[in-house]
Amino acid sequence: ICPFMNRFPIITVGGLLRDAAGNILLVKTAKWSNLWGIAGGKVEYGETLEAAFLRETLEETGLHALHPKMVMVQDAVEHPEFFQPRHFVLINYVADVKGAKPDVVLNDEAQDYLWIPAKEALDMPLNGPTRALIKVVLAGGESLWTS
């Protein structure tokens, strides 16, 4: 068996969810060194990126993402904060959700969640890719959120 078999990047989707009050949702996961991050997961074969984002958001938070917009792509090649050596291609979105600080129903992948203003989130112990995403979104301003 070829040692390089199955050593391909894993395509994932995730994003910042914003509530009606302008807060973003962060989730804490053991997979990312118990740091705060975003909900997301792998794109399934035959699934569009947006469909995967909507599905992963619903599966991991119980929330329906509205008006998703892709804002950036990141590489995470054997990222030291992830619990296993993997090469992820992270497709990052922003999307709105209904209500102010709506209830979140976490699946077994996350241990905690928090609604927080994006600027304040930068003071949290975030995983590296999430910190990079928040900085891009803050720099882009409101135009990133509107469709």
Side-chain angles (χ1 to χ4, degrees):
I1 295 177
C2 175
F4 299 108
M5 196 86 140
N6 298 324
R7 290 193 48 107
F8 295 98
I10 300 164
I11 308 302
T12 66
V13 291
L16 290 178
L17 301 177
R18 182 178 70 165
D19 73 1
N23 299 298
I24 60 168
L25 177 66
L26 295 177
V27 296
K28 186 184 283 191
T29 66
K31 287 182 180 181
W32 282 92
S33 302
N34 290 309
L35 297 169
W36 293 94
I38 57 175
K42 297 174 191 160
V43 178
E44 295 177 358
Y45 184 84
E47 190 174 40
T48 66
L49 296 173
E50 186 172 305
F53 171 69
L54 296 173
R55 176 187 52 76
E56 284 288 344
T57 298
L58 184 60
E59 286 177 4
E60 294 193 4
T61 68
L63 298 172
H64 293 276
L66 307 171
H67 317 295
K69 185 174 181 183
M70 187 189 306
V71 295
M72 74 183 292
V73 177
Q74 301 183 64
D75 276 307
V77 182
E78 297 188 5
H79 198 286
E81 294 167 349
F82 195 71
F83 79 110
Q84 295 177 319
R86 294 287 186 267
H87 177 178
F88 293 115
V89 176
L90 308 168
I91 312 292
N92 295 152
Y93 285 82
V94 294
D96 291 312
V97 295
K98 288 184 180 178
K101 295 186 179 180
D103 288 335
V104 173
V105 179
L106 297 174
N107 67 3
D108 61 354
E109 294 183 40
Q111 291 71 55
D112 202 1
Y113 75 92
L114 172 71
W115 289 102
I116 188 170
K119 287 181 184 174
E120 290 180 27
L122 292 176
D123 294 329
M124 301 287 294
L126 302 170
N127 67 50
T130 298
R131 183 172 301 282
L133 173 59
I134 292 171
K135 286 180 178 180
V136 165
V137 169
L138 286 173
E142 188 62 27
S143 65
L144 282 182
W145 293 94
T146 56
S147 48

